[in-house]
Amino acid sequence: MASSFFALLDDIATLLDDVSVLTKVAAKKTAGVLGDDLALNAQQVAGIQADRELPVVWAVAKGSFVNKAILVPSALAISAFAPWAVTPLLMIGGAYLCFEGFEKLAHKFLHSPSEDKAHHAKLVKAVVDPEVDLVALEKDKIRGAVRTDFILSAEIIVISLGTVAASPFITQVSVLSGIAILMTVGVYGLVAGIVKLDDAGLALSCRPGALARQTGVALLRLAPWLMKALSVAGTAAMFLVGGGILTHGIGPLHHGIEALGAAASGIPVAGVLLGALAPLPARRRCRCGRWRAGVGRCVAGAPPHGAQGRCVTGDAQLWLEAGEARHARWQSEAGVPPPARVRFADDTLSADAAYKLACEGTALLWRGDFHNARQLLQALARRVDRQQARRARDVTPGASPADLFHRHRQQQGQRARVLGMLLVAIEADGQIALRRAPDVRAACAQAWGDAPLPCVVSLRELQGVVGAFEWRRKGVPLPVLGGASIHPHYGVFSPVRGEYLDLVAQAPLPAISLGFDIGTGTGVLAALLARRGVARVEATDCDPRALACARQNIAQLGLSGQVTVLQADLFPPGRAPLVVCNPPWLPARASSPVERAVYDEDSRMLRGFLSGLAEHLAPGGEGWLILSDLAEHLGLRPREALLQWIADAGLQVAGRLDAKPRHAKAADSSDPLHAARAREVTSLWRLRIV
């Protein structure tokens, strides 16, 4: 019963992911109609007595709910039984929006001001003339407003239906119902506030306080200008929304406008105006039956029309866009090969559909809003995690820690592959040509150097690049350095676990003349030794990124006179009375460069350090080996093997300092490796020559 309940919660959470994203997209597309709806409904109550304005607005709101109760089921029926009619209805709605906008402009420029004044005078006379039937006038106003609302509501529902046409039925019901309720409550709540704005101003202007009077006068002056502003905004939105729908429905016109927009991108006003005509890519079916988005050709379908997306040999990524072949360098820090299948995706793609495509190995080249891409990535992560949590229940009871570890790493790899299927293109100027995309030029240049652009990269990796850029900028403050910060570079492991630093800070120094730091990384141990009084420290690493990172940190800490950073495979030339090494702790294959600080296949660095330590240790000196016993608790490397390697190298253990980890995973009972992590101990082994 409990498992069924949580499975139901999973399904509900999955549905809500899609509903939230698609409702946001639908609300954006219908915002133009909303502006006009506000203006028209506020104008509909003109000629009504002040004490009857709110009852009239409430009556129209109830009529609006009835309208949507008719329109939403009708729209769902069209989507279920006649999906081919969605696009024609969208085109009709777009054409009607443009017609309404043109009609308003025509009325403005073709009617004389005297006609408008006569109409206004007629309304005023109706209010004060006792012979006029105010009840009939009020009912007539309500009927007219409800008819107007029906037309505008139909436009809103049709546009929203176009957004969710390819989504599951339950998602369509949720989005259309949500839009109907949101728009009705929002519009008529605002209308009620607008029509009573002048009354509020009048009441405040009659109060004794100077501030109240001034506020009241300001509201009275604001009210007519607000109505005019809403009317202008609604008219402009009609042309933008209606024109966007029409241009998306006419392929050649859409491509022509987009080409003009690209050509005029350097002209501030022209580029913005042309881009506004196509703000959101539309989804259409190709002859192969697959959905295609925006200006992209179908890159997921079969080859009948020769537009199947594929990766080509080498590091190029090829796809077809606006009828032209495009290529860009494939960027992957982990050396992941480019995906074999690529298709376009935008804000209209549901998280469920995206997850299915990603699991099938189809990469999604994003062409929608950048923030929506981030939300989609989070939704994909939740789906992967839920799926893996379900599979975790099927683990064989009594499985060994090593089996659990390998299963955990396999799941991590699968998670990375699925999340790595959401791609973004970085243009030749280093920018991301997506709405609301951040400026990533500095972060990419810092991480990739002079790597050629344009390129295609997974959004997940790009987020890592931006996160590393911010981490490097802010730094990691360390108490053992007196609160000074270490600034890790991209691809260099950050000293996030402080217990091993405490061990190095507490261990008694055998000498202070010279020290070696083997595999320095960020240079934190070399800096710590220098701060403890070691006169000269030679820090080595073989990774160019680590060398640059260590040199910068040493310089920023003002320790360049004591610490020298050298490129070497393990040891520098000569001997030292103190040699420190913090090798990777787990004997497993690293899947990315940054993981080499954690995983060391066959314990190569550990064994290399132990076997070469005696040749580089001065008489009476000590070698400090910093190592966690997590590998022992996972069954990856027994303690006996470590002791045997020490003995075979002609070394002996002079002492050992231990510390319990303080990181969050050590106390996380939901972690699949919690049993091993809870017993983990980090040790500083003091080794001497026998």
Side-chain angles (χ1 to χ4, degrees):
M1 178 67 70
S3 61
S4 299
F5 174 71
F6 287 112
L8 176 61
L9 288 183
D10 283 342
D11 294 338
I12 293 173
T14 300
L15 172 63
L16 291 179
D17 284 335
D18 291 344
V19 171
S20 63
V21 173
L22 291 174
T23 301
K24 180 187 296 185
V25 175
K28 288 180 180 179
K29 288 189 173 184
T30 56
V33 187
L34 173 63
D36 190 60
D37 205 358
L38 276 173
L40 287 179
N41 282 288
Q43 291 167 354
Q44 288 288 346
V45 297
I48 300 297
Q49 289 183 330
D51 60 344
R52 293 295 302 163
E53 286 176 343
L54 290 182
V56 168
V57 172
W58 171 239
V60 178
K62 290 189 291 185
S64 178
F65 275 115
V66 173
N67 289 339
K68 292 179 177 66
I70 297 171
L71 291 168
V72 170
S74 301
L76 293 172
I78 291 173
S79 178
F81 301 108
W84 53 267
V86 174
T87 299
L89 286 174
L90 276 173
M91 297 287 286
I92 293 172
Y96 187 77
L97 278 175
C98 293
F99 168 76
E100 280 189 301
F102 179 80
E103 185 183 37
K104 292 182 71 173
L105 291 179
H107 178 83
K108 173 67 177 177
F109 293 108
L110 299 181
H111 287 71
S112 63
S114 59
E115 291 178 332
D116 293 333
K117 290 181 180 179
H119 178 68
H120 178 73
K122 181 180 178 181
L123 292 175
V124 173
K125 181 180 179 182
V127 175
V128 299
D129 190 351
E131 296 182 1
V132 175
D133 188 351
L134 294 180
V135 175
L137 176 64
E138 185 176 296
K139 290 182 178 180
D140 183 63
K141 287 286 184 181
I142 292 173
R143 284 194 296 269
V146 172
R147 283 195 301 269
T148 301
D149 176 89
F150 186 88
I151 296 172
L152 294 173
S153 296
E155 294 171 356
I156 290 173
I157 297 302
V158 168
I159 294 173
S160 301
L161 179 62
T163 303
V164 297
S167 301
F169 181 75
I170 186 64
T171 303
Q172 294 181 6
V173 173
S174 302
V175 171
L176 292 182
S177 301
I179 287 292
I181 295 172
L182 178 65
M183 292 298 182
T184 304
V185 173
V187 166
Y188 289 99
L190 289 174
V191 167
I194 291 171
V195 299
K196 300 304 290 183
L197 190 63
D198 53 351
D199 291 343
L202 181 61
L204 288 173
S205 65
C206 296
R207 291 195 175 186
L211 179 61
R213 287 199 304 272
Q214 292 175 359
T215 304
V217 171
L219 289 177
L220 288 172
R221 292 176 178 175
L222 173 66
W225 286 103
L226 177 61
M227 290 296 297
K228 290 181 180 179
L230 284 174
S231 180
V232 171
T235 303
M238 283 178 175
F239 285 111
L240 289 175
V241 176
I245 293 173
L246 289 175
T247 55
H248 277 304
I250 304 173
L253 180 60
H254 174 76
H255 297 327
I257 291 176
E258 189 165 68
L260 287 175
S265 58
I267 306 173
V269 177
V272 172
L273 289 178
L274 288 171
L277 290 177
L280 287 175
R283 286 164 54 90
R284 301 178 290 278
R285 285 191 185 273
C286 279
R287 285 176 290 174
C288 63
R290 299 291 186 98
W291 285 102
R292 59 188 174 100
V295 299
R297 299 284 298 278
C298 174
V299 292
H305 48 295
Q308 182 175 6
R310 61 183 180 89
C311 66
V312 298
T313 57
D315 63 350
Q317 188 70 29
L318 176 67
W319 69 93
L320 291 174
E321 186 166 359
E324 297 181 0
R326 295 190 58 183
H327 63 87
R329 185 179 59 85
W330 169 247
Q331 172 66 37
S332 173
E333 180 70 15
V336 175
R341 295 184 301 277
V342 182
R343 60 159 288 175
F344 291 155
D346 59 19
D347 308 285
T348 61
L349 182 67
S350 70
D352 278 339
Y355 179 62
K356 181 179 179 181
L357 289 168
C359 291
E360 293 172 349
T362 299
L364 307 172
L365 184 58
W366 191 254
R367 283 292 186 258
D369 182 89
F370 185 83
H371 287 198
N372 287 345
R374 292 173 53 191
Q375 291 182 357
L376 178 60
L377 186 63
Q378 294 172 2
L380 292 177
R382 287 191 289 270
R383 281 158 176 76
V384 174
D385 294 341
R386 284 196 291 265
Q387 184 66 23
Q388 292 185 350
R390 293 190 188 103
R391 292 175 180 173
R393 306 187 194 114
D394 301 330
V395 175
T396 304
S400 67
D403 291 337
L404 292 176
F405 170 76
H406 292 303
R407 180 187 178 91
H408 176 62
R409 290 216 68 201
Q410 183 183 35
Q411 289 181 337
Q412 286 182 319
Q414 292 171 347
R415 187 178 192 271
R417 281 192 293 273
V418 172
L419 300 185
M421 288 295 173
L422 186 56
L423 313 180
V424 293
I426 299 179
E427 305 299 327
D429 60 355
Q431 297 276 28
I432 302 174
L434 300 176
R435 293 182 302 279
R436 296 197 292 174
D439 188 347
V440 298
R441 288 176 294 181
C444 293
Q446 196 175 83
W448 303 332
D450 297 328
L453 296 176
C455 74
V456 174
V457 63
S458 77
L459 177 59
R460 186 169 183 257
E461 181 164 328
L462 181 62
Q463 287 182 328
V465 168
V466 175
F469 176 78
E470 292 298 323
W471 209 348
R472 176 175 173 176
R473 183 176 62 85
K474 296 177 182 178
V476 181
L478 298 175
V480 294
L481 295 179
S485 294
I486 288 291
H487 298 264
H489 289 197
Y490 179 70
V492 182
F493 200 74
S494 175
V496 291
R497 292 184 56 163
E499 69 270 9
Y500 77 93
L501 298 177
D502 294 337
L503 294 175
V504 174
Q506 298 165 7
L509 292 170
I512 60 171
S513 58
L514 176 64
F516 291 166
D517 176 19
I518 310 303
T520 188
T522 60
V524 61
L525 290 182
L528 180 55
L529 293 177
R531 286 286 180 92
R532 289 198 62 189
V534 177
R536 188 162 58 92
V537 180
E538 294 184 3
T540 68
D541 210 297
C542 59
D543 182 12
R545 282 176 172 166
L547 292 169
C549 179
R551 290 185 179 119
Q552 182 180 14
N553 283 317
I554 294 300
Q556 288 180 341
L557 293 171
L559 299 173
S560 299
Q562 289 177 262
V563 180
T564 303
V565 180
L566 305 171
Q567 183 171 3
D569 187 4
L570 292 179
F571 299 95
R575 295 174 179 266
L578 176 61
V579 182
V580 181
C581 183
N582 177 28
W585 293 348
L586 296 177
R589 179 179 299 175
S591 60
S592 66
V594 73
E595 284 193 350
R596 294 174 191 154
V598 179
Y599 300 110
D600 180 24
E601 192 171 9
D602 296 330
S603 302
R604 292 171 184 170
M605 184 174 178
L606 171 60
R607 291 188 289 115
F609 170 73
L610 293 174
S611 62
L613 179 59
E615 298 177 5
H616 294 86
L617 199 60
E622 289 186 3
W624 289 358
L625 172 63
I626 305 164
L627 197 66
S628 161
D629 64 354
L630 180 61
E632 300 171 15
H633 298 303
L634 292 174
L636 304 177
R637 182 180 59 226
R639 174 65 62 92
E640 292 75 15
L642 175 62
L643 296 176
Q644 187 62 50
W645 294 339
I646 293 174
D648 292 343
L651 304 170
Q652 61 180 351
V653 179
R656 195 182 77 205
L657 281 72
D658 297 331
K660 290 289 292 182
R662 300 190 297 268
H663 58 85
K665 284 189 176 181
D668 184 7
S669 58
S670 64
D671 181 12
L673 306 180
H674 173 68
R677 295 191 195 277
R679 294 182 292 161
E680 180 185 5
V681 174
T682 302
S683 301
L684 186 152
W685 298 74
R686 297 171 54 206
L687 307 176
R688 293 178 180 170
I689 300 175
V690 176

